[in-house]
Structures are given as structure tokens and as C-alpha cells.
Amino acid sequence: MDIQHYYKLLFPNDTVKASKLTKRVHREKYKNCPIWPTDVFAFCGSIIEKTSLLQPEFLTSTQKSQLQPEKIHEISKAWQTGIFPPIEVVKSWEAIYQNRKTKILDIEKDIDIQFHLHFLLRCADSTSAGLGWRPSTRSFFNISAFLCLALATSPSPKIKKLQKMLSSILPNSNLPNSFCLMIPQDRVIVTPKSVTAQIGHTFRSLSHNLALIDAKPKLEFSWHYVQKENEDEHFHILLIPYPFKISAKAIRPVSPPTKYGENGQKYGYFTLHPDWLPSVDNSIDTKEISTKQAEKIFSELVLPLLKKSETHCDIDCILFPECSLTEAVADKLAELILTSEETKKIRLLITGALAIQKDEKSFNKAISYFIFSSEVIKHDHTKHHRWKLDVNQIKKYGFSSFPADHNTDWWEYINVSKRKLPFYAVSPHSSITVLVCEDLARNDPAMPTVRAIGPNLIIALLMDGPQITGRWPAKYAGVLSEDPGSSVLSVTSVAMVDRSNKLESAPKRSVALWQRPGGRTQSIDLPQDSYGLVLSLATTTVEQVTMSQVVDECNTRCYELMGVEPLKLEKSVDWL
């Protein structure tokens, strides 16, 4: 395999589009340096990662001076404002092109190729500063990406017309799934980046602004704006650990287990029946039932808690744990929360939801709703891994519908085929992502992407027992707080905590767990007479350094948990 293989693999239609805007530089195939720094980053990064030549050795003094941060910054500024890559970038690209027959295994012997790969990688990464966030600098790439993301989120005739005019230099077809212009999503994906890994010796440690992740269809990545208009870095969450009661029969087998193997081991499936949702008149249409249930949850639970929270802060995000709602109820509740005059300051609703499929496996989803151009926008992704119940867990939670059989494993009866993972830019320097229960603990398919991008905050929606140190959520949250260096918030329902506590001598009503990079693990308890918690987060600035000693000038943010306030309801609600 040689360098030419990567040209053909990554650029099936050449490195630039032939058009009126680009014809003045159009030459033989692959010789033109790509216009977008993300394409350059993908090409160089793919080769560097393949060869593991993460730090070039034995560079000349001239090459070393070219890699100095001041020089890279000067070139990247010219690239940001000039659209077309500067002459220094073009020359390095042509130098690699001239050596395109070089075998990948021989690059370790060629110091010049190593230099050009790392020079281009650093220039592309520096040029992409701010890419994926609300434009704060006059960079062509930042503004263009914002326009394309806006159109992908909520089509606007004006934006659509502008996008068509600039189609040869805008990544229309790839966003919000990849920020490359000429490289298709099924080859490799380049994304914005929040946190640079400060431990280990990996490709992820080479960049501040861009990440290289696996191509589709292994996992569908997407990036979305949910930012405030101002520069406020606070993020106030109203956690509603619903449901507050769950019956012993809410989780029960789908059918008798099937035997496999020679030792009598059996497996079966269990399903979830959300019997905790408010009771309404069952004689009405199914869709109307979901609407009535959502209206009850909004008026009798969410709205009273929001009014109580006003004495503490303005809530940015409302958060429900795994499978708290059905998808139909969540859709209507989101509409009520995000469009009502009383709750118009809320910009994000995140909930676990069960998408019930008649006579088929259901979907266990994390759903995020937000407002964009006066529309309610919905993004969801399904749980990637099934929950496995054994007899010890069944006894711990007191699920009464299962047999007392130590030879049977019970698997969650859900569809896990559609694997996606959205990320949300919630402030000028901070992003979040959401994982569902087992996905926090399993490496594939999400963790390579999570570690490459380094979201500032990871929210894990669980259907689990107390969130305390020593249990599995704390273990895996601790791993992610170290690498990539994210803050992690895991949340579960009061109902599951209370069921788990029935056999405990010293029960703890811990419905959430907080872990920040370098900090202690903190359990968050819900008092007996409370129904919600205000979690006040704020960011601190952190200076991070790449493996090649490039500092980010304190542009990285780390979330801190600044306060927790329990909230009561003034009126008792019978269905709670």
C-alpha cells in the first residue's frame, strides 16, 4: 500500500470540485490541495494514524522552525481569511503528491514526508479553530459550517439559495455528519473537538480543534448547535428522576427462556411496561392518551418544579432518566415545554424514552429536543447494547414475574440495529453527548468517537440502582473523566433506587453521580419529600497541550458542579 492508495480511497472525485470558483487552480487529479482544512486533516491524519509516526524525529532546523506554533498560527490565519490554502500549505501538499508512490511502510525512513504530513496536520487543525461552534471569528470555514448546519437543522429558503451558489466549496451533503468537503462519510469522518487527551500516546493527542473518527456505517455521528446567544458558560439542569414508583411487574419476561449449550444454560427476553405513566381515560384514541399523559406531566410535575427553581437560577436543560417516558409522550411534552410562554427559557430537553413497536422489538432511546428558528427540533439515538438481567439482579429489584433460575440470562427485548451518537454544542466552548445505560460501560461502538471528540460533559441515562462510589457507573465514569477528560453525570430514577434499597441495611437515595476530571466522585441524593434537583454547572478554563507541545491558550472548558438544590411540590399528585 502506498500514499496514492489514500488519495484514491479518500478522494473518489478528486481533491477539489471543478467549478467557476475553483477552475483557476484545477490541474491533474489529486495535485490540487483541498480547500477545506478538514479534508487535509483527514488525509494526513489517516496516514499518520496508520503509520503510528506520531512524533517525527531527526527534523532539520528549517523544518523545526516551520512547525513552531507562531508560524503555524500565521499560516492558519491566512487560510481562514483567504479561503484558498496559503502557498506554504500548497507546497507541502505538492511535496507529498510528488512522493505518492512511496510505500506506507517506508514513510518512517523519509523525514521529509513525515514533516509535510505533520506540518499540514497542524495547519489544518489551527485553521479549524472554532469550527462547529457559533461563529465568533471571521473565518470563512466557521461561517460556512454554521450555514450548512443551520440548513441541515431547519431549511431556510435564503440559506438554501446561498448554499446552492457556493455548493463547490461548502460541505452540503456531509453535514451534520462530517465536516469534510470532498471526503465521503463512508471513508473517514472529521468532527469538531472539545477536549484533547492529556494522557497516553495516541493520534487523539495531536490536535486541539479536529477529531478523526471511524466512517459510517459503524456509528452515525452528528453535530448540532444548541448554544445561547451570549457567551454564558453556565449550564443549569433540572433533573426529574421520574418515575417515582414502578411496579414489580413493570419488567417481565416476553416468553419462556430457550435452552442452549450442553450445561443447561438458558436465555430469554424481558420487556418493559411503563405502567407508571399517569392514568387517563383509556376509551380515547391511543394518540390522545399520550397527549393527555404529557399534559399531566407538564402541568402537575414539570411546571411546578420549574417555578420552584426560579429562586435558584434559569434552567437551561430538563433531564429525565432512561425509559422515563414513551416516545409519544416525550414528543408532546417537548412541544409543551419548548413552546409555552411559561417555559420559553428552556433550550434543551433530554429524556430516555421507550419507542414501543407493536409485535416487534421496541427501541430504547435517548431523545434530545431543542428550538431552532422557532421550530422544535428532535434528535434521537437508540441504546447500543441490551441490558442483561440475572437472578441476583432480579431479586435485588424485586421483579416478581421471573423464575428463580440461576441458569437463565434475560436480555432486554429491544432493537439495537440503528447506531447513532449526536453531540451538542451548548456554549461557545462546550459540547455534550448522551449515553444510555450499558453504553457507558461498553467500548464499541461509541467510545472511540467519545474519546476522539472529548465532549466536555457526558450525560448517562440509566435505569439502575443507587448512584454511589463502588458501583459500575462510578467505575466507568472515572475512566472517561481521565480519558478523554470529560465530566460525567449519570442519572437514574427514584423508583429503581427505592426498589434496589429494599434489601439494604443502609440505603442511599442517590439518583445521580457526578465525576469531573481530577476530582472526587460525588453522589447526589434526593430527599424523601422532593421531586426534582437543580444541578448548577459552570465551566472553568483549562490549558491543554498536544503531544507536539502546542498549547490551546486556555480555550478548553471543564464543567464543575457548583450547587445542588432539591425541589418540593406544593400540591400532592396522586399518580406520583
Side-chain angles (χ1 to χ4, degrees):
M1 190 191 306
D2 54 22
I3 292 175
Q4 189 163 256
H5 166 82
Y6 279 88
Y7 285 116
K8 294 177 180 178
L9 173 68
L10 299 179
F11 298 102
N13 299 308
D14 206 351
T15 52
V16 297
K17 289 182 180 179
S19 71
K20 292 180 181 179
L21 287 170
T22 60
K23 67 179 181 179
R24 66 183 180 88
V25 295
H26 195 73
R27 295 174 290 178
E28 60 186 284
K29 199 171 186 180
Y30 307 134
K31 191 171 183 179
N32 291 306
C33 181
I35 294 172
W36 272 69
T38 45
D39 286 335
V40 175
F41 184 88
F43 175 78
C44 297
S46 295
I47 297 175
I48 290 171
E49 190 170 41
K50 179 69 174 179
T51 59
S52 292
L53 296 170
L54 303 179
Q55 287 183 299
E57 305 287 348
F58 311 113
L59 296 177
T60 66
S61 58
T62 301
Q63 289 172 337
K64 288 178 180 177
S65 67
Q66 286 290 97
L67 290 175
Q68 290 299 309
E70 297 81 10
K71 181 65 175 176
I72 299 294
H73 181 72
E74 176 187 328
I75 294 170
S76 67
K77 283 295 181 186
W79 198 351
Q80 286 176 340
T81 54
I83 303 179
F84 292 99
I87 188 64
E88 298 92 338
V89 172
V90 171
K91 285 182 176 179
S92 267
W93 183 268
E94 290 179 350
I96 295 175
Y97 178 78
Q98 296 301 327
N99 290 278
R100 60 191 179 278
K101 299 290 182 66
T102 302
K103 300 294 183 185
I104 294 298
L105 291 176
D106 292 336
I107 293 177
E108 66 175 337
K109 305 170 190 173
D110 195 317
I111 299 303
D112 289 338
I113 292 179
Q114 291 182 45
F115 160 73
H116 290 302
L117 287 171
H118 279 269
F119 174 75
L120 289 173
L121 187 87
R122 293 190 199 181
C123 288
D125 185 56
S126 182
T127 303
S128 302
L131 189 70
W133 315 92
R134 188 177 295 278
S136 56
T137 59
R138 292 183 179 180
S139 163
F140 164 78
F141 304 106
N142 294 2
I143 295 169
S144 300
F146 181 79
L147 289 173
C148 292
L149 281 170
L151 184 62
T153 303
S154 179
S156 159
K158 286 184 179 179
I159 296 176
K160 205 167 186 177
K161 184 177 180 181
L162 179 61
Q163 188 187 37
K164 188 175 181 180
M165 290 170 55
L166 302 176
S167 61
S168 64
I169 53 175
L170 294 184
N172 301 338
S173 59
N174 280 337
L175 284 170
N177 307 114
S178 177
F179 282 69
C180 290
L181 172 64
M182 298 301 297
I183 299 178
Q185 298 173 47
D186 61 356
R187 309 302 165 94
V188 73
I189 288 173
V190 172
T191 77
K193 185 175 185 176
S194 297
V195 175
T196 301
Q198 297 296 288
I199 61 171
H201 192 78
T202 70
F203 178 79
R204 295 184 284 111
S205 305
L206 289 178
S207 61
H208 284 304
N209 304 301
L210 295 177
L212 193 66
I213 64 175
D214 286 340
K216 291 172 66 177
K218 183 177 180 179
L219 180 75
E220 183 179 307
F221 157 88
S222 60
W223 184 269
H224 311 279
Y225 287 115
V226 198
Q227 291 182 218
K228 293 180 180 179
E229 293 296 330
N230 56 35
E231 296 283 316
D232 186 12
E233 292 278 356
H234 288 85
F235 192 60
H236 300 293
I237 298 172
L238 170 59
L239 168 60
I240 303 177
Y242 183 75
F244 299 94
K245 294 177 185 176
I246 181 170
S247 73
K249 295 198 295 185
I251 292 179
R252 56 182 184 260
V254 174
S255 59
T258 302
K259 181 180 177 181
Y260 66 96
E262 298 296 326
N263 298 319
Q265 190 69 25
K266 292 176 283 186
Y267 73 92
Y269 289 103
F270 69 86
T271 188
L272 185 64
H273 296 266
D275 57 10
W276 54 81
L277 292 171
S279 58
V280 295
D281 182 3
N282 289 328
S283 64
I284 60 178
D285 179 74
T286 303
K287 187 176 180 181
E288 189 66 20
I289 290 175
S290 297
T291 298
K292 293 293 184 184
Q293 289 173 327
E295 289 171 348
K296 270 196 169 188
I297 293 171
F298 176 72
S299 62
E300 298 178 20
L301 179 62
V302 174
L303 200 54
L305 290 177
L306 280 173
K307 288 180 178 178
K308 279 283 186 180
S309 71
E310 289 174 356
T311 59
H312 305 293
C313 59
D314 291 332
I315 298 297
D316 296 296
C317 172
I318 298 176
L319 183 61
F320 286 87
E322 180 185 11
C323 287
S324 293
L325 310 170
T326 62
E327 184 172 22
V329 171
D331 288 345
K332 183 60 182 178
L333 182 61
E335 182 184 336
L336 292 168
I337 290 173
L338 296 174
T339 61
S340 298
E341 188 65 26
E342 299 166 293
T343 54
K344 62 182 180 181
K345 291 182 179 179
I346 306 299
R347 56 193 176 106
L348 186 60
L349 167 65
I350 299 173
T351 182
L354 193 65
I356 299 171
Q357 309 294 308
K358 190 177 180 181
D359 301 325
E360 295 179 13
K361 292 186 179 76
S362 298
F363 290 95
N364 185 340
K365 293 184 174 184
I367 310 180
S368 301
Y369 304 88
F370 57 92
I371 290 288
F372 192 93
S373 296
S374 303
E375 291 183 52
V376 176
I377 306 300
K378 172 185 176 182
H379 286 285
D380 61 18
H381 68 282
T382 60
K383 189 176 180 179
H384 302 151
H385 298 275
R386 296 185 177 101
W387 181 13
K388 186 178 80 169
L389 273 175
D390 58 29
V391 71
N392 292 323
Q393 286 180 292
I394 291 167
K395 286 158 59 179
K396 185 177 181 66
Y397 291 114
F399 298 140
S400 61
S401 300
F402 294 85
D405 187 352
H406 286 268
N407 290 325
T408 301
D409 292 327
W410 297 92
W411 293 89
E412 189 176 6
Y413 194 66
I414 57 170
N415 191 318
V416 294
S417 60
K418 298 179 180 179
R419 292 180 159 184
K420 300 188 293 184
L421 191 64
F423 288 73
Y424 303 96
V426 294
S427 76
H429 301 91
S430 303
S431 68
I432 67 172
T433 193
V434 183
L435 301 175
V436 186
C437 210
E438 278 72 17
D439 301 347
L440 174 65
R442 305 280 78 84
N443 186 63
D444 290 328
M447 286 306 153
T449 298
V450 170
R451 288 196 169 93
I453 295 171
N456 305 82
L457 175 63
I458 298 170
I459 297 174
L461 308 181
L462 312 182
M463 196 171 190
D464 188 42
Q467 299 301 287
I468 55 177
T469 56
R471 295 194 66 245
W472 71 269
K475 172 185 174 182
Y476 292 104
V479 171
L480 289 171
S481 70
E482 184 179 61
D483 181 13
S486 304
S487 296
V488 184
L489 173 67
S490 64
V491 299
T492 188
S493 68
V494 174
M496 290 295 285
V497 171
D498 287 346
R499 293 202 71 86
S500 177
N501 280 337
K502 286 183 178 180
L503 300 178
E504 298 293 332
S505 57
K508 291 204 69 177
R509 214 167 187 239
S510 303
V511 296
L513 188 84
W514 174 260
Q515 175 75 63
R516 69 170 293 276
R520 68 182 181 87
T521 304
Q522 183 177 344
S523 291
I524 302 171
D525 296 349
L526 184 78
Q528 283 290 344
D529 56 350
S530 297
Y531 289 86
L533 292 167
V534 174
L535 309 178
S536 293
L537 309 184
T539 60
T540 58
T541 57
V542 180
E543 184 173 74
Q544 294 198 316
V545 185
T546 65
M547 189 191 303
S548 47
Q549 288 81 53
V550 178
V551 298
D552 69 347
E553 300 177 353
C554 292
N555 273 329
T556 303
R557 300 295 187 271
C558 177
Y559 274 109
E560 299 269 7
L561 178 62
M562 303 303 292
V564 178
E565 298 289 344
L567 301 176
K568 299 180 181 180
L569 292 176
E570 293 292 342
K571 297 178 181 179
S572 61
V573 180
D574 56 1
W575 54 270
L576 292 177

